[in-house]
Amino acid sequence: KAGVTQTPRYLIKTRGQQVTLSCSPISGHRSVSWYQQTPGQGLQFLFEYFSETQRNKGNFPGRFSGRQFSNSRSEMNVSTLELGDSALYLCASSWSTVVETQYFGPGTRLLVL
Amino acid sequence: ELKVEQNPLFLSMQEGKNYTIYCNYSTTSDRLYWYRQDPGKSLESLFVLLSNGAVKQEGRLMASLDTKARLSTLHITAAVHDLSATYFCAVDRGAQKLVFGQGTRLTINP
C-alpha cells in the first residue's frame, strides 16, 4: 500500500508570494492533518480535515489555510509569505476520528527568501 | 494549554548501554504516541499507548504510559548505532491534533 505522498518536496519562494502544498493520504484514510516543523518552534499542529471539513485548527495566522477534496487529498496554502514561514511542512493521514496512529508523509521543505 | 516536555533533549551514549527518555505532559490524556525522525526525513510511528499502564515493546525499544503521573518513558536496551535518531513523544488533544515534545536527539557511538 502506498504511503502518504506530498508534493512538491522542495520549494523556494520569496517574501510576499503565496504557495500551495499538496498531500495525498494513504488510500482509504479520510483524516488529513498538517504540521509545521522548524528548529525554533518544533512540530506544531496547523489544521486537520475530515470528509472535506476542517475539524481543528492550530494557532496560526489566517495566512495559513487549507482544504480537503472528496477523494481525501488535501492542500494547504500560505499567502503573503514571510521569512519565518521557512519550514518543513508535514502531512499526516489516518482512517477516521477514532484514535489511532497518524502516518506522516515525507514533507515539503519550504524556503522563503 | 497542554505542554509536553521531553528530557533529555540531547543524549549521547555508547553501544550496548541502556537508557531512558522521559516525556511529561501537563493535562490529562490517555493517548500518547512515540515517533522517530531520522535527519532530513519524516516521522515514523513507533508506539501508540492508549491506556494507563500500557507497555509496548519493539526490538530494543520499550514504551510505557502512566496517565496518573502524566509520564511516558521510552527505554532503550543495549543500544545499537542504528537507533541514532530524534525521538518525539506526542499527546493527542482530540480530533487528531497532536501536541509534540521538543524531541530527544539520540546519538549512539560505537
Side-chain angles (χ1 to χ4, degrees):
Chain A
K1 181 184 278 189
V4 179
T5 58
Q6 292 186 245
T7 57
R9 294 292 311 279
Y10 303 92
L11 206 49
I12 300 175
K13 292 285 188 179
T14 57
R15 279 181 299 176
Q17 288 187 309
Q18 75 166 18
V19 66
T20 299
L21 311 182
S22 180
C23 171
S24 292
I26 292 172
S27 178
H29 284 191
R30 295 168 65 190
S31 171
V32 174
S33 301
W34 289 89
Y35 294 85
Q36 181 196 64
Q37 186 177 27
T38 60
Q41 299 299 317
L43 279 154
Q44 296 185 91
F45 173 80
L46 280 158
F47 27 65
E48 187 259 351
Y49 288 88
F50 179 78
S51 293
E52 301 178 65
T53 300
Q54 185 183 88
R55 296 191 305 168
N56 214 338
K57 191 177 192 305
N59 295 323
F60 279 83
R63 300 185 297 107
F64 292 81
S65 63
R67 59 178 175 169
Q68 186 180 34
F69 302 95
S70 59
N71 61 358
S72 294
R73 189 177 69 85
S74 178
E75 289 181 347
M76 68 163 282
N77 184 77
V78 187
S79 63
T80 319
L81 284 166
E82 300 178 358
L83 296 179
D85 297 333
S86 295
L88 179 65
Y89 290 89
L90 293 165
C91 161
S93 76
S94 59
W95 284 102
S96 69
T97 61
V98 176
V99 171
E100 59 185 80
T101 299
Q102 291 185 30
Y103 294 89
F104 282 80
T108 294
R109 191 166 294 279
L110 172 65
L111 176 62
V112 182
L113 302 176
Chain B
E1 180 189 349
L2 171 63
K3 291 187 178 180
V4 181
E5 294 186 348
Q6 291 180 232
N7 74 83
L9 299 184
F10 298 92
L11 178 57
S12 180
M13 54 193 292
Q14 288 184 315
E15 281 190 327
K17 300 291 187 182
N18 303 332
Y19 211 81
T20 301
I21 299 171
Y22 298 89
C23 174
N24 291 273
Y25 53 99
S26 60
T27 62
T28 301
S29 176
D30 291 331
R31 303 186 288 272
L32 191 134
Y33 305 79
W34 284 96
Y35 286 90
R36 166 181 172 151
Q37 187 176 39
D38 292 298
K41 304 291 186 181
S42 187
L43 297 171
E44 174 190 353
S45 176
L46 293 174
F47 300 109
V48 181
L49 303 170
L50 299 177
S51 62
N52 185 41
V55 177
K56 290 197 174 180
Q57 183 164 5
E58 179 74 33
R60 301 174 187 275
L61 301 177
M62 182 174 71
S64 65
L65 178 62
D66 181 343
T67 58
K68 294 179 182 178
R70 299 175 187 167
L71 171 68
S72 180
T73 60
L74 180 66
H75 187 72
I76 303 152
T77 302
V80 294
H81 179 69
D82 286 352
L83 291 178
S84 296
T86 299
Y87 292 85
F88 292 92
C89 64
V91 177
D92 192 328
R93 286 296 287 153
Q96 304 300 75
K97 172 184 178 179
L98 296 181
V99 178
F100 283 85
Q102 313 97 306
T104 296
R105 186 177 296 179
L106 174 63
T107 303
I108 299 170
N109 304 303

